[in-house]
Amino acid sequence: MSLPHAILTALLEKPSSGLELTRRFDKSIGYFWSATHQQIYRELGKLETEGFIRTLPPAQPARGQKKSYEVLPAGRAELARWTAASQDPRPHRDTLLLRMRAAAVVGTEGIEADLRRHLDLHRRQLAEYEEIEKRDFPPGRESSQDRLRHLVLRAGIDLETFWTQWLTRALEEFAELPGHERA
Amino acid sequence: MSLPHAILTALLEKPSSGLELTRRFDKSIGYFWSATHQQIYRELGKLETEGFIRTLPPAQPARGQKKSYEVLPAGRAELARWTAASQDPRPHRDTLLLRMRAAAVVGTEGIEADLRRHLDLHRRQLAEYEEIEKRDFPPGRESSQDRLRHLVLRAGIDLETFWTQWLTRALEEFAELPGHERA
DNA sequence: GACCTTTGTGCAACTAGTTGCACAACCGGC
DNA sequence: GCCGGTTGTGCAACTAGTTGCACAAAGGTC
């Protein structure tokens, strides 16, 4: 139940059309809450009928025409309510850890290459985050908003750091496993 | 598409009934792939008709009667295939980070208490993992299976460590925010 | 032996997320 | 002046996961 709130947040940061939102979900917000454009359009429709957002230019043209949305007071109130409400952490699901556990039973044959690939992906993501940090959060004088957003980015950086370290360690362990042949 | 494989792994480690599986999912495997008993029963049914598992005692009694399953060769082969197959990391979704981002826009009112609660939950989980580590993986001579399983547990420990550190830091930042009143 | 709790299995309905596709408008080239 | 790519919106069908409930059997208890 978080996609509508992710959209409200994005729209409060800047009113946008469906496609612009999609692009922004591919970047910043999507780093911890991804969504496809189909999901976004569907949700925009719901949010509009619920009275949380409205189209920006009063004219509402036909299909294929750009349509920008802005958040209404009711939408902001709903987002504030949701943000403050207590929520239990949702269980994490991680396929790679599951495969690792399965590999302990059926053998590590073939998984190593994918571990390397993941390591590479996480390294890239980490580099991207660090680039954003350098660009958007230079040291010194940050506003309250910036501090909070920086905090969120730090979470991303630390998580990617964790994964690169863990994968590196896993590959080292593999090298020491009996029956290990490839370099 | 990972629940059936999680179940196959668990059954290979030890043949079990639906309820036993549910309990084990509340512990070890469920730490990175949770499932309710309803999901598990449904999936057991599918796995059986697909010929990947079978009931242990040839007698298959009625509803309310315990039914244990074991993995058939075809099931083991399927698990090995899945484990070795390359998979893209699925996008992570994290509500707390999303709320943090929303808080940057609509204000931090109310979120702090929940941050403390999450910190407490993650500390407990971390303690539990460390307990398991001490009990199940004493230093020195580990088999290949143990090494892999230990690696997975380490991931859990490191992730919980990350969260406790990040939440601690977040709460510190909150204390420095202008307009912050409560202790 | 009627009642209650625990253990165990399971269906049905719903919600969230994914995949595949369709289609309209605009913009450039040739 | 039509043809192909890009931008933009959207529906439909499917898959995965959650929630709520039902029901059978076994064991204790008074």
Side-chain angles (χ1 to χ4, degrees), chain B residues 9-181:
Chain B
T9 305
L11 285 181
L12 279 170
E13 286 173 357
K14 183 175 183 309
S16 311
S17 68
L19 193 64
E20 281 162 1
L21 277 178
T22 304
R23 286 205 240 276
R24 290 170 59 200
F25 267 77
D26 285 341
K27 289 204 293 283
S28 61
I29 292 193
Y31 290 146
F32 47 88
W33 204 276
S34 66
T36 60
H37 77 272
Q38 292 91 335
Q39 269 179 288
I40 289 170
Y41 282 114
R42 207 193 318 172
E43 209 60 45
L44 282 172
K46 272 196 220 165
L47 286 168
E48 193 179 12
T49 60
E50 286 170 326
F52 290 151
I53 61 173
R54 71 165 175 204
T55 52
L56 245 192
Q60 85 288 39
R63 200 183 168 110
Q65 278 307 92
K66 191 166 159 174
K67 226 166 37 173
S68 274
Y69 292 92
E70 69 174 349
V71 178
L72 294 169
R76 175 182 279 268
E78 165 57 23
L79 184 60
R81 186 204 60 71
W82 177 81
T83 307
S86 172
Q87 283 181 44
D88 283 327
R90 42 161 50 212
H92 280 111
R93 294 206 162 91
D94 192 287
T95 319
L96 201 60
L97 292 177
L98 194 55
R99 284 166 72 196
M100 210 65 176
R101 178 102 178 207
V105 190
V106 298
T108 56
E109 198 63 44
I111 200 178
E112 198 175 338
D114 212 33
L115 252 43
R116 281 188 215 288
R117 196 172 65 89
H118 280 236
L119 177 54
D120 190 53
L121 290 171
H122 285 294
R123 280 199 181 126
R124 279 175 211 278
Q125 188 64 62
L126 178 56
E128 195 176 329
Y129 285 164
E130 283 174 339
E131 198 51 47
I132 294 173
E133 186 178 37
K134 213 190 298 174
R135 172 161 44 80
D136 294 355
F137 304 100
R141 68 295 101 171
E142 293 185 328
S143 70
S144 295
Q145 281 215 0
D146 279 352
R147 277 162 159 270
L148 290 175
R149 277 201 265 264
H150 193 177
L151 209 47
V152 173
L153 181 60
R154 284 302 318 174
I157 291 177
D158 291 349
L159 279 169
E160 293 303 329
T161 303
F162 153 72
W163 280 110
T164 55
Q165 286 173 355
W166 184 82
L167 284 164
T168 303
R169 181 169 173 174
L171 285 165
E172 284 168 13
E173 290 264 2
F174 269 52
E176 292 170 23
L177 243 44
H180 186 88
E181 293 309 331

Side-chain angles (χ1 to χ4, degrees), chain A residues 11-140:
Chain A
L11 285 181
L12 278 171
E13 286 173 357
K14 184 174 181 311
S16 312
S17 70
L19 193 65
E20 281 162 0
L21 277 178
T22 304
R23 286 205 239 275
R24 290 170 59 199
F25 267 76
D26 285 341
K27 290 205 293 284
S28 61
I29 291 192
Y31 289 146
F32 48 88
W33 204 276
S34 65
T36 59
H37 77 272
Q38 291 91 334
Q39 270 180 286
I40 289 171
Y41 282 115
R42 206 191 323 169
E43 209 60 46
L44 282 172
K46 272 195 220 165
L47 286 168
E48 193 179 14
T49 59
E50 286 170 327
F52 290 152
I53 60 174
R54 71 163 175 206
T55 54
L56 244 193
Q60 87 287 38
R63 202 182 165 109
Q65 279 305 94
K66 191 165 158 175
K67 225 165 38 172
S68 275
Y69 292 91
E70 69 173 350
V71 178
L72 293 170
R76 176 182 279 267
E78 166 57 23
L79 184 60
R81 186 203 61 73
W82 177 82
T83 306
S86 173
Q87 282 181 45
D88 283 327
R90 42 161 51 212
H92 280 112
R93 294 207 161 91
D94 191 287
T95 320
L96 201 59
L97 292 178
L98 195 55
R99 285 165 73 197
M100 210 67 175
R101 178 100 179 210
V105 189
V106 298
T108 56
E109 198 63 45
I111 200 178
E112 198 177 338
D114 212 32
L115 253 42
R116 282 188 215 287
R117 197 172 64 87
H118 279 236
L119 177 53
D120 190 52
L121 288 171
H122 285 295
R123 281 201 182 124
R124 279 176 211 278
Q125 188 64 63
L126 178 56
E128 195 176 327
Y129 285 163
E130 283 174 338
E131 199 51 47
I132 294 174
E133 186 178 37
K134 212 190 298 174
R135 172 161 45 79
D136 293 354
F137 304 100

